[in-house]
Structure formats: C-alpha cells, structure tokens
Amino acid sequence: MPHTSVLRLDQFLRRSESGDGALSPGTLAALDRAEAFPAEACRVLDDFNLAAHYVDARHGGLLGDHVELVQLLRTVARRDLTVAVAHGKTFLGTAPVQVAGSERQAAVLAAEVCAGGVASWALTERHHGSDLLAGELTARRTEGGWRLDGEKWLINNATRGRFLCVLARTGERGGPRGFSLFLVDKDRLAPGSHRLLPKVRTHGIRGADISGIAFDGALVPDEALVGPEGTGVETVLKTLQLTRTVCTALSLGALDHGLRIAAEYALGRRLYGRRLGDLPRVRRILGEACAGLIVTEAVTTVAARAIHTLTPEMGVVASVTKALVPTLAQETLDRLGELLGVRGFLSDGTYLDGAFAKLDRDHRIVAVFDGSTAVNRSLLIDHFPALARSWRRGTADRDAVTATMPGSPPPPFEPDRLRLLSTRGCSLVQLMPEALDRLRAGVREGQLPSEAARMADELTGLAEAVHGGMEYQERTGRDVPQSAFDLAAQYELCFAAATLVHLWLDSARTPYDGLWLRAGLTLVLNRLGIATDETRAAAFDQLADRLLATTDGAPPSLPAPYAQEGVQ
C-alpha cells in the first residue's frame, strides 16, 4: 500500500508554501539569489522528523522501506532541490555506519540523527575527485585511537554537519585494503585540530553547504573506526549502491516540478488564437515528458525495492539506475525548457520566481552525485561477462523478483548480503523473455492492444543483441572502448523495459488500461533506435490529455501501489 508518511509530509509542507513561508517560491528564490543556506526550510523538515527516516529501523530509526525514503525525498525535491540535497545528505552520512558499523555505533548515531544531528560523508579530495584510492588524508594509530591529517573537499554539509564519515588512508601504500572509514564527531575534537574550508560557489544548488574540512593532528577514539581496518573502500562501494539508488529521488522530484510548471504554462498561454496546450506539437512534448517520468519512476521504484530483495545484485541495479534516471530526467527537462522558451530562463521575480531556471540548474548536478554517469557505466561494463553468461543460461532468482514488486512491505534490508559484484547478473532482465511471453499472452486475452505484442518482439531482439555485444566486447583493464559505454547505455534501457513489463504483469490483477506501459515502452524503444510512428505516439498524446485535464497539474503516474503518494 502507498506510504501514509509521504502523504503526511506533503500536507505538512503545504503549510510553509504560501506568503513568506520557508518553502514558498519567493522565499526559495531569494535564498538562491543570495546563495544562502535554506536553514528555515530544513527546520521545517526537522519538525516533521524526516531525519528519522534516514536511519534503519534496526537501529531506532524509521527506515524500513527504501521506496518510502525515495518518495519522501521526492516530495521535498519537487518543491526545492537545494533543500532536498541539504537535508537528505544526512542519509549519505549515516549509510556507511548502517552498512558496516557496530550495533552500538549505529544505534548511537541513529539517536543523534533522530534528535537533529546532521551527518555528512567525506570522501573526495581537492586533487583526486572520484579517484578514492589516490586519497591523501591519513589516519595513523596512536595510543587509544587514531590521528587524522589532511583535508576533504567539496563535501556537502562539511561545515554545518556535526558528524562526518571520513575515508582515510590507513596503509602507507594505500590500495584497496589501505583505507578505512571513521565516524568523526566534530564536537569531540580538540580545539585547533581541525578547520573548516570555505563554501564553494556552485552553478546550481547555490545555497547548499558545499565546503570542506582539514584535519591537523585530530585525535579520534578507537570506536570511531567503522568496520574492520582496511575495509573502507569496500564499505564505500557497497554503501554507494544504496545512495546512488536513493538520490534518484531528486530527479523524480525535479520532473514532477518541471511538468507542473510546463502544464500550467500550456494551459494559461495562448498562441495563434489557440490555447498552447491544444497545439499538437506542444501536446506531444508534454506527453513524452510524462512518459519520461513514468520510465524513471518505474526504474527507481523497482531499484529501491531491490535493495531489500535482490541485495546481492545491487552492483548492477544501482549502477544502471544512477546512470539512466538523472540522464533521462535531464533530457526531459531540456525538452520542457524548449516548450517554455524564454520563460524557462527568466529569474529574479519574473515568471514563477524563476522556478524552472532554478530547478534546471540544480538538477544538473544530480548526475554527478555519488559517481557520474560515466563512472556508473564503467561499473556496469565490469559486469558484462556475468550478465552475458547469466542471460545465456537463463538463470534468475524468480522468488526475489516477485518480492521486488510493490504492494506489500519489503523484507528487512540485510547489509551483509551486499556484494561488490553481482556474479549472478541481473534477475530482472534475465527474466524478461518469460515476462514478454506473458505480456504477449495478455495481448491475446485482450488486456493490451496488438501493438504491445510487436513491442515485445522488438524488445526480445534488442535484448538479445545487447547481450551478444556484451559477450564479444573487447577491453583491457585501463582502456575501455566507447562501444562498451554505448552497450551499457543500451542495457540500461533493457533494464527500464524489464521494470515496466514486470510492474505491468504484477498490476494486471487489477483493471488497468496499460497506457503507462505502452507510453513507457514506446519511449524506451525509440531510445533503442526503433522509430515511433503515430500509432504508438498516440500514447504520448493521451498522457498529455490526462496531464492537462488535472486540476493541480499533477503528472500522470504509475498506478497505485506503484505511484507517488497522492497522484493516481
């Protein structure tokens, strides 16, 4: 069933959206212009106790379903991405401790976070970026603890956060087993042993606390070590499987917001004596944008459920999700920007307080968070042999795929089941041939139009070709050809198609017209090189009609229980 917490948060935030409220468009626009931290908006989220949802229920928090967390952050992000980034960072700061920390460590941090403590994740350094194995910040053993020296830079909430989960070099030679994680409480550091680095001005999320911290002989106790010594990089890579999935909530929220703005404009603007929304070209753009939202929503929903059910396969699932969702969302926002024209660039209190220009700027950073699109596709390329092999064998965890479908509470998340590589491939895609056969049966039974069977045939051939390409892809450890990245992008679309089909099969027990399935598959197939004719494009136009017919501009979404809260 849909999460009541998401509906409660939406209703709670509406109190702060009017007048000079902390989440009103005018207030948020003014903060953006001043590049000021949205402190009041974050206090509103604290009043709701949102931070408790960042902490696993095993340790005293409210996080028992990562889909719920995604939808909560999406609810914030559709109002303002800067606020969602600033507040949601605490989830990233606590996640490594929930994955690898001791029970006591995780429980103590959970209590602090639930009481309002802000946490951050300090991974990157000024001269090394995403190359974590080049990190120079050191942690050396001392009597009763560790001494930290060095700096971390471009860290969200480094200044405002009390707790930092810091990746430090503990082996002189570094390497995969030469780094460890430490949970640092800034309030317990000796005076003069650390200093905060200035906030860095950014193109988007201007008000976020993107700064840094430098340690100079900072002493932390033995209990600050997260997991065994030398396991820092492994813990980071496993934790990223969670954070990469959850941060796609930012893209869903951005699309929600962008579509509402575009729908309002299309309904209120007249051109050539007609309402803008009545022009076929405009309706097509809006419908394709709705389809983009449906695809990203399907992928994110299934991926968030997979954290609980397909945990050993998250090395594939998270990389695919993080590469596909922000990319497709940004391309969709670009199309909406074209529709808005100059109004998509205006700010300073002109059109809707410059809301679209702001969300567009803010969203562009999401693709970089927790590993860029190229980084995630590179991780997927590492899985090519296992994916091709498992596809040929037809192996899959059917029970886990069934449990991945929403509609009932997921099993508890078990971090010990996370793996750096998924040796069994991706069950969701490997079961796609069977799922497509069931879809064809749905056509024969009259549940879907005949066009859906042709889509199934096309997807079967394309998926076979992608896995064939993986099988014969040549690469070395240091040189990965562009063709491999192209294959990775195609595999992402196969994954998207698989999520759509699995969700439709799961929802077929209730009466539903399958419009979202046809529109989503049409979009996916077009991106895989299949031209969209007017027969298939009619699904886009129907979505546009639904969008323009709503009273609040809420975009058409997946059917309950897959939908965002409050949108059917």
Side-chain angles (χ1 to χ4, degrees):
M1 296 298 293
H3 301 286
T4 57
S5 61
V6 182
L7 182 57
R8 286 192 294 105
L9 176 61
D10 185 68
Q11 294 171 339
F12 185 84
L13 296 183
R14 290 181 186 180
R15 307 172 192 172
S16 302
E17 289 182 328
S18 59
D20 58 355
L23 287 163
S24 71
T27 298
L28 296 170
L31 288 170
D32 183 62
R33 291 192 292 273
E35 301 185 18
F37 188 84
E40 287 299 324
C42 287
R43 272 191 281 274
V44 170
L45 299 180
D46 287 340
D47 290 342
F48 182 79
N49 198 26
L50 180 60
H53 292 272
Y54 302 155
V55 181
D56 198 298
R58 295 174 299 142
H59 304 131
L62 296 176
L63 176 55
D65 183 348
H66 284 79
V67 176
E68 179 182 20
L69 176 57
V70 164
Q71 297 295 4
L72 287 166
L73 285 173
R74 175 184 186 175
T75 301
V76 179
R78 76 164 62 104
R79 287 160 168 90
D80 189 77
L81 281 168
T82 299
V83 175
V85 169
H87 200 274
K89 179 64 177 184
T90 291
F91 169 69
L92 277 68
T94 62
V97 179
Q98 297 177 68
V99 167
S102 67
E103 287 296 321
R104 181 180 183 281
Q105 199 175 41
V108 169
L109 179 59
E112 293 286 359
V113 168
C114 290
V118 176
S120 185
W121 200 6
L123 295 181
T124 57
E125 299 182 10
R126 191 182 303 269
H127 301 296
H128 305 300
S130 62
D131 186 0
L132 300 182
L133 294 181
E136 297 181 56
L137 186 149
T138 60
R140 294 183 173 87
R141 282 194 177 275
T142 63
E143 185 177 351
W146 299 80
R147 169 181 170 139
L148 302 182
D149 292 279
E151 72 171 41
K152 293 292 181 179
W153 186 67
L154 288 186
I155 308 302
N156 188 3
N157 280 344
T159 297
R160 301 182 67 89
R162 172 183 167 186
F163 301 95
L164 291 98
C165 202
V166 180
L167 181 67
R169 181 186 290 259
T170 48
E172 290 298 326
R173 297 184 178 181
R177 292 294 175 184
F179 291 82
S180 304
L181 279 170
F182 295 86
L183 180 61
V184 177
D185 182 349
K186 292 193 307 187
D187 286 358
R188 297 180 61 186
L189 296 179
S193 66
H194 76 285
R195 58 188 171 86
L196 302 175
L197 305 180
K199 168 181 163 61
V200 179
R201 298 186 67 187
T202 52
H203 176 66
I205 57 170
R206 293 173 174 173
D209 171 22
I210 308 297
S211 52
I213 187 168
F215 299 100
D216 184 9
L219 300 179
V220 297
D222 277 332
E223 57 263 28
L225 181 66
V226 179
E229 180 182 349
T231 60
V233 172
E234 179 181 347
T235 298
V236 167
L237 294 177
K238 289 180 177 179
T239 305
L240 284 169
Q241 294 173 13
L242 311 181
T243 61
R244 285 171 174 154
T245 303
V246 170
C247 83
T248 56
L250 302 174
S251 294
L252 297 184
L255 281 179
D256 289 339
H257 194 182
L259 269 164
R260 286 175 186 268
I261 292 172
E264 180 179 328
Y265 178 64
L267 288 168
R269 173 74 169 165
R270 298 192 70 81
L271 192 64
Y272 311 124
R274 303 170 64 185
R275 189 181 67 167
L276 190 64
D278 294 330
L279 298 177
R281 178 61 180 161
V282 171
R283 290 172 63 245
R284 183 63 53 84
I285 292 174
L286 290 173
E288 289 176 351
C290 290
L293 175 60
I294 286 169
V295 171
T296 54
E297 188 174 34
V299 170
T300 299
T301 300
V302 170
R305 288 279 297 196
I307 290 173
H308 300 262
T309 58
L310 290 164
T311 315
E313 300 180 15
M314 285 305 298
V316 172
V317 174
S319 296
V320 166
T321 301
K322 182 56 172 59
L324 174 67
V325 172
T327 301
L328 178 55
Q330 188 57 54
E331 292 177 7
T332 304
L333 289 172
D334 290 345
R335 294 293 306 283
L336 293 176
E338 293 175 17
L339 186 155
L340 290 167
V342 69
R343 287 166 178 78
F345 296 91
L346 297 177
S347 59
D348 296 334
T350 48
Y351 185 68
L352 298 180
D353 292 298
F356 189 86
K358 181 183 185 306
L359 80 86
D360 182 55
R361 280 189 287 105
D362 289 350
H363 182 263
R364 291 182 184 277
I365 193 63
V366 177
V368 181
F369 283 157
D370 294 355
S372 66
T373 300
V375 167
N376 281 284
R377 285 179 177 164
S378 182
L379 291 170
L380 181 62
I381 291 167
D382 290 338
H383 282 90
F384 277 7
L387 291 170
R389 182 173 58 251
S390 298
W391 173 265
R392 293 293 174 220
R393 294 174 179 172
T395 55
D397 188 338
R398 288 171 173 77
D399 291 340
V401 170
T402 299
T404 302
M405 297 302 104
S408 61
F413 167 55
E414 299 178 49
D416 290 344
R417 297 181 66 223
L418 290 169
R419 299 290 181 268
L420 295 180
L421 290 173
S422 173
T423 57
R424 65 189 195 186
C426 178
S427 294
L428 286 155
V429 175
Q430 285 143 213
L431 283 179
M432 190 160 67
E434 295 179 20
L436 291 173
D437 283 342
R438 292 173 60 195
L439 186 149
R440 294 183 185 95
V443 173
R444 292 192 294 270
E445 294 167 6
Q447 295 175 310
L448 289 168
S450 59
E451 189 64 30
R454 286 189 285 274
M455 290 181 177
D457 293 341
E458 291 164 354
L459 283 170
T460 299
L462 289 166
E464 180 65 32
V466 168
H467 286 88
M470 289 179 173
E471 206 168 14
Y472 297 104
Q473 180 64 57
E474 295 182 2
R475 60 165 294 183
T476 65
R478 295 184 62 86
D479 297 312
V480 183
Q482 179 59 43
S483 57
F485 285 92
D486 294 339
L487 271 174
Q490 293 166 20
Y491 185 85
E492 294 161 19
L493 293 165
C494 291
F495 181 88
T499 63
L500 288 163
V501 173
H502 284 300
L503 286 171
W504 181 82
L505 291 171
D506 187 63
S507 70
R509 61 179 179 268
T510 59
Y512 202 72
D513 63 10
L515 173 61
W516 59 270
L517 172 68
R518 292 184 287 116
L521 290 183
T522 297
L523 185 70
V524 167
L525 285 166
N526 181 256
R527 294 175 72 87
L528 282 168
I530 304 296
T532 302
D533 60 23
E534 287 301 310
T535 298
R536 292 184 179 179
F540 297 148
D541 296 336
Q542 292 175 51
L543 285 178
D545 291 341
R546 292 189 181 185
L547 173 68
L548 296 173
T550 58
T551 57
D552 60 356
S557 184
L558 295 175
Y562 315 105
Q564 55 177 311
E565 194 72 44
V567 178
Q568 301 297 325

